[in-house]
Amino acid sequence: MPRADCIHQRDFAEPRIIVALDLASAGQALDLVDRLDPTRCRLKVGNELFVHSGPEVVKRLIDRGYSVFLDLKFHDIPNTVAGACRAAADLGVWMVNVHALGGKEMLEAARRAVGSDSQRPLLIGVTILTSHDTQSLGEIGLREDPSVVVDRLAELAQHTGLDGVVCSAQEAFGLRARFATDFLLVVPGIRALGAQADDQRRVVTPAAAVAAGADYLVVGRPITQAADPLWALSALEQEMYSARHRLDQ
Ligand code: C5P
């Protein structure tokens, strides 16, 4: 399975859709992934599934041939975050993330902890959660426009050697213009053309996300709750590939 060695390629032949397994048990997660295909998608294990089922479920997903993004958004003192990142690397995950708000020292410690061999996990920063707005940022003392804070944190992530950031498609457009293509943009909030938005406030189509410069698209419910998850994945892939094709022309 391609891992850190693939990051300098913009090769859409490798799986670009990351399925968010926001599910309440290992059984549900394994039932679902047995209906998907590890050559067509990667998986994201977040807080809900990890708190329910722990590293064991991650190992079982990797054993089934999937690349796993461990989305636990570490944010603590540098030593503790470094330990957590080392544990994630030992677990064999493909991608892991930390909060860029943890600061330079914490990000550098995380970067050292994931190591430097070609099999190391990609290390991704979370800038500002898209659930924040200007008012809620002001309440925690960040009085600038959210986009200014996102830019600054993305720059810090890049300077400290992280491989990329999680961002909305709206943010991706500006970040892609600013950073080289090897700085990865991981974009959630994706919905097929005309699909329901669920509780996401702003959604974009796979085509719009790719056009904005996204490298990986995070998709949860449109696939996990579909009657035929592989069919739903194929439909999203199709939209993504057509956009890629248009951009390449
Ligand atoms: O089901 P849905 O496609 O909305 O799931 C999106 C996934 O992306 C969830 O796991 C959610 O936690 C994650 N995410 C997000 N918005 C962010 C960061 C992560 O929706 N800003």
Side-chain angles (χ1 to χ4, degrees), residues 45-77:
V45 173
N47 289 303
E48 183 181 2
L49 183 57
F50 196 79
V51 171
H52 272 290
S53 307
E56 195 50 41
V57 71
V58 175
K59 285 185 201 149
R60 292 174 74 179
L61 297 169
I62 294 171
D63 285 347
R64 280 167 159 77
Y66 285 96
S67 303
V68 174
F69 171 17
L70 189 62
D71 176 25
L72 300 182
K73 304 183 181 70
F74 300 135
H75 187 177
D76 209 314
I77 59 170

Side-chain angles (χ1 to χ4, degrees), residues 18-22 44-47 69 71 73 97 126 128-131 166-168 171 186-191 197-200 202-203 218-225:
I18 303 174
V19 179
L21 297 179
D22 295 321
K44 180 169 89 66
V45 173
N47 289 303
F69 171 17
D71 176 25
K73 304 183 181 70
N97 61 1
V126 175
I128 294 296
L129 294 171
T130 47
S131 47
V166 180
C167 63
S168 70
E171 293 158 359
V186 179
V187 175
I190 306 293
R191 292 295 181 270
D198 301 310
D199 59 351
Q200 295 279 16
R202 287 170 307 177
V203 295
V218 177
V219 185
R221 289 159 290 181
I223 293 175
T224 60
Q225 295 183 5

